Amino acid sequence: MVRSQAKVSEAAAKPVAETKAAKTVAEVKASLEKTEKKAPAKKTEKPAVKAAAKKADADTKAKRKKKKIDKTTMALRKDPIQESYFEIDGEQIMVEDTVKKIKEAYKNEGHRIGTITSLKTYFNFAERRAYYVINDNEEGKYVDF
């Protein structure tokens, strides 16, 4: 009887193994169907991604075009070199040199030149001095020219 029970158990084991295999095949088919269902969702995402890529590409082209235009207009807008002079008794005094002296005097007082937001200069030719007002605070300061 032991032999007949062994044959029965082998026979019973085969359908179980076949059902496990069948389940795994069914599971594989189901997972493939799920991935196929997900694939159309990706197709709907692609146009949005393509649209974003086209917009980004258009933006970069526009920036390049604007940069090119800016370079040409900057070449046209370039300010000419300007020099301003005062002439007193045959002596020429350059305005830019006077402004440099004012900034240097302001720096020597312990201030930073970068803090200057406004600079007003008044030339007194009789005294040969340039009075200045920086940031509407300093009054009565001058440099000789």
Side-chain angles (χ1 to χ4, degrees):
M1 276 217 184
V2 174
R3 284 186 179 172
S4 64
Q5 287 178 350
K7 287 182 182 179
V8 171
S9 66
E10 285 178 21
K14 284 184 182 179
V16 171
E18 289 176 1
T19 57
K20 284 185 181 178
K23 285 182 183 178
T24 57
V25 171
E27 290 173 357
V28 170
K29 285 183 181 179
S31 67
L32 286 175
E33 289 175 2
K34 287 180 184 177
T35 56
E36 289 175 359
K37 288 180 183 177
K38 289 182 182 178
K42 288 183 182 178
K43 288 181 183 178
T44 58
E45 291 175 342
K46 284 185 180 179
V49 172
K50 286 182 181 179
K54 285 181 182 179
K55 184 178 179 185
D57 189 38
D59 289 344
T60 56
K61 285 181 182 178
K63 285 179 183 177
R64 286 182 192 152
K65 187 175 181 181
K66 184 178 179 182
K67 189 180 259 189
K68 186 176 181 181
I69 291 171
D70 286 345
K71 285 182 181 179
T72 57
T73 55
M74 288 301 288
L76 296 174
R77 289 185 195 171
K78 203 171 197 177
D79 292 332
I81 297 173
Q82 296 179 354
E83 294 180 351
S84 301
Y85 294 93
F86 289 111
E87 188 167 331
I88 303 169
D89 298 329
E91 182 183 349
Q92 291 183 348
I93 300 166
M94 189 172 184
V95 174
E96 288 80 11
D97 288 340
T98 307
V99 171
K100 285 180 186 177
K101 286 181 184 179
I102 292 170
K103 287 181 179 181
E104 187 177 308
Y106 188 69
K107 184 178 177 181
N108 290 338
E109 292 174 2
H111 303 285
R112 290 184 294 156
I113 294 174
T115 60
I116 298 174
T117 57
S118 69
L119 171 64
K120 297 176 185 173
T121 307
Y122 305 94
F123 291 91
N124 186 333
F125 297 108
E127 297 176 3
R128 298 186 55 87
R129 292 182 177 168
Y131 290 89
Y132 61 92
V133 177
I134 296 178
N135 299 336
D136 297 326
N137 293 331
E138 306 291 328
E139 293 187 26
K141 306 276 182 170
Y142 64 89
V143 293
D144 294 324
F145 54 84

